[in-house]
Amino acid sequence: MSSVVELSVVVPTFNEQPNVQALVARLEQCLRGVRWEVIFVDDDSPDGTAAAVRTLAQADARVRLVHRIHRRGLSSACIEGMLASTAPFVAVMDADLQHDERLLPQMLSTLRAEDLEIVVGSRHVEGGSIGDWGSERELASRFATRLSGLVLKADLKDPMSGFFLLRRALIDEVVHDLSAIGFKILLDIFVTAGRPLRFRELPYEFRLRHAGDSKLDNVVAWQYIAMLLDKSVGRYVPVRFIAFASIGGLGVFVHMAVLWLVFRGLEETFIVGQTVATLVAMTFNFFLNNWFTYRDRRLRGWGLLRGWVSFTLACSLGAVANVGIATYLFNVSPTGGPWWVLSATAGIIVGAVWNYAVTSVYTWNQPKAVTAGR
Ligand code: GDD
Ligand code: MN
């Protein structure tokens, strides 16, 4: 029998060390008769997931590892796992045993028999269920599913699923245009294809997490909104810029609050109040952008200090450009009318674009980001 791989199972991991061995054992059990491999894509988990996978790989050549450094993200991990595979069929599933691996053979045979492009493990078709979810999580999931209707044309009952199997041709078709933001890689694939896909949903029961904790948090929810934006207005404006500019808008409120406190409250001079307010607002913006806009390349430790310095310098130049351009435009425009507002707006736009462009290169660049195959 040829040893060529037919099915690659891509498994994104972050702190899943206690689960990987059990998952491989279960794949081994249920995929008899299929020439499979499993590709773990680990974002340098502090709990030593990558080392655990390497140990398994020493005993079984079907186990592979993509180890990413200075990177985070479920969707982007799945994409890199798919690209590390050369098999004609690729499945994606979680490492925590919540997805029922026993569905895989049926997913593969259905895809082949019905000449489909993608088969989705679904909790929301007859026979499927979400298992023991808290009502809060259930509500959030239902709301997210409803929101997906803004960008999704297909009648997919479980677009939030992270469990699916697809053909290589479909990956090749969409891979250059995926948003790759956040958790919802399946939705990303469907929307990016932009045409009706031949798909089918097969029911399974969502199980309880085996060991460890869920990585789904508030930031993931915001990233979902970011992905929806990217899939709609992202053609015209980069969604990172939208996030950056919105945070800048919040910074204005922080600035005013601090100015009020220092200038009016503490009765310092205006220049002192203005200086303190500017520094506080910049610092506030820096941390918020680091936490959200650049979550996937978040700076830590000393990198934070270096990042803060470069961010402050860049934004100071941005402020000079803002004031300079606005003043110039105001001076050359006719007197009266709305010109003062338009001049100020032009200054703000130039300043914001400058700040965004410069900090994306000098503050949140990733000189050390590497990915390595097995
Ligand atoms: N490489 C990498 N990087 N893996 C990640 C990251 C990351 O930043 N964040 C999470 N993962 C991995 C986890 O280790 C796990 O294997 C899988 O992605 C899912 O993460 P969970 O934290 O277990 O998410 P969940 O159970 O709350 O949600 C999952 O199930 C939902 C229902 O199917 C996800 O698959 C959702 O997308 C899905 O909607
Ligand atoms: Mn999970």
Side-chain angles (χ1 to χ4, degrees):
M1 183 172 98
S2 139
S3 62
V4 173
V5 176
E6 312 169 78
L7 174 67
S8 299
V9 182
V10 171
V11 182
T13 56
F14 191 75
N15 286 346
E16 304 287 0
Q17 188 268 328
N19 294 324
V20 290
Q21 184 174 13
L23 179 63
V24 171
R26 287 175 182 224
L27 290 176
E28 154 102 81
Q29 280 287 319
C30 72
L31 287 175
R32 287 169 201 258
V34 178
R35 293 188 308 276
W36 60 278
E37 68 177 356
V38 58
I39 304 177
F40 290 95
V41 186
D42 184 63
D43 287 353
D44 210 24
S45 304
D47 78 344
T49 305
V53 171
R54 264 182 225 114
T55 306
L56 292 170
Q58 285 302 305
D60 188 339
R62 294 172 299 190
V63 178
R64 296 178 54 198
L65 172 67
V66 174
H67 187 156
R68 307 198 303 171
I69 312 286
H70 295 306
R71 305 278 305 281
R72 271 304 298 277
L74 173 45
S75 283
S76 67
C78 293
I79 294 165
E80 278 171 50
M82 294 184 201
L83 290 172
S85 145
T86 50
F89 304 103
V90 177
V92 171
M93 72 188 296
D94 293 351
D96 55 10
L97 308 183
Q98 290 194 278
H99 295 154
D100 193 338
E101 68 290 336
R102 290 167 302 178
L103 194 63
L104 285 168
Q106 195 195 341
M107 289 165 98
L108 183 59
S109 60
T110 309
L111 186 94
R112 280 176 153 155
E114 300 181 15
D115 191 28
L116 304 169
E117 294 169 284
I118 182 164
V119 174
V120 177
S122 176
R123 298 160 293 180
H124 303 312
V125 293
E126 183 71 41
S129 96
I130 56 170
D132 281 328
W133 263 10
S135 56
E136 200 179 304
R137 171 91 200 244
E138 186 181 342
L139 225 82
S141 176
R142 207 175 293 161
F143 179 64
T145 304
R146 181 88 55 83
L147 269 186
S148 73
L150 294 173
V151 293
L152 179 69
K153 302 287 178 298
D155 180 24
L156 193 56
K157 298 283 184 267
D158 193 358
M160 300 295 116
S161 178
F163 186 27
F164 54 91
L165 192 153
L166 77 176
R167 281 180 198 271
R168 164 76 38 201
L170 179 54
I171 300 174
D172 291 344
E173 182 181 326
V174 297
V175 72
H176 293 96
D177 301 315
L178 293 169
S179 290
I181 303 170
F183 263 44
K184 301 305 167 193
I185 176 69
L186 178 69
L187 182 61
D188 202 352
I189 291 171
F190 265 81
V191 177
T192 301
R195 62 175 178 85
L197 295 180
R198 296 191 307 278
F199 74 96
R200 192 128 98 87
E201 289 182 85
L202 296 178
Y204 80 98
E205 186 178 331
F206 199 63
R207 295 185 296 219
L208 283 177
R209 173 175 259 280
H210 183 63
D213 303 308
S214 169
K215 281 88 209 172
L216 200 129
D217 57 14
N218 292 333
V219 176
V220 169
W222 285 107
Q223 284 180 323
Y224 179 58
I225 307 288
M227 190 202 124
L228 294 180
L229 278 176
D230 186 51
K231 280 284 167 258
S232 40
V233 299
R235 253 169 297 163
Y236 313 107
V237 198
V239 47
R240 255 196 235 272
F241 178 71
I242 298 177
F244 189 89
S246 311
I247 289 172
L250 284 180
V252 173
F253 289 100
V254 172
H255 184 106
M256 291 308 172
V258 174
L259 181 60
W260 179 80
L261 201 82
V262 177
F263 176 55
R264 303 298 299 272
L266 301 176
E267 299 187 348
E268 292 287 345
T269 57
F270 182 74
I271 178 106
V272 168
Q274 182 71 357
T275 308
V276 174
T278 304
L279 269 176
V280 172
M282 277 180 182
T283 305
F284 168 82
N285 279 12
F286 169 71
F287 280 101
L288 217 53
N289 277 310
N290 191 51
W291 176 72
F292 180 69
T293 316
Y294 290 101
R295 175 178 223 217
D296 56 336
R297 338 177 177 163
R298 201 178 274 171
L299 304 170
R300 290 164 206 278
W302 285 108
L304 269 176
L305 185 63
R306 197 185 50 77
W308 179 81
V309 170
S310 66
F311 185 85
T312 312
L313 285 177
C315 295
S316 302
L317 282 178
V320 171
N322 174 346
V323 173
I325 285 181
T327 309
Y328 170 78
L329 287 177
F330 180 72
N331 287 339
V332 299
S333 41
T335 41
W339 297 106
W340 62 277
V341 179
L342 294 179
S343 304
T345 308
I348 289 172
I349 292 175
V350 169
V353 170
W354 161 276
N355 289 349
Y356 173 70
V358 173
T359 59
S360 74
V361 175
Y362 289 101
T363 307
W364 285 286
N365 65 345
Q366 26 184 187
K368 286 184 298 181
V370 285
T371 61
R374 127 160 96 158

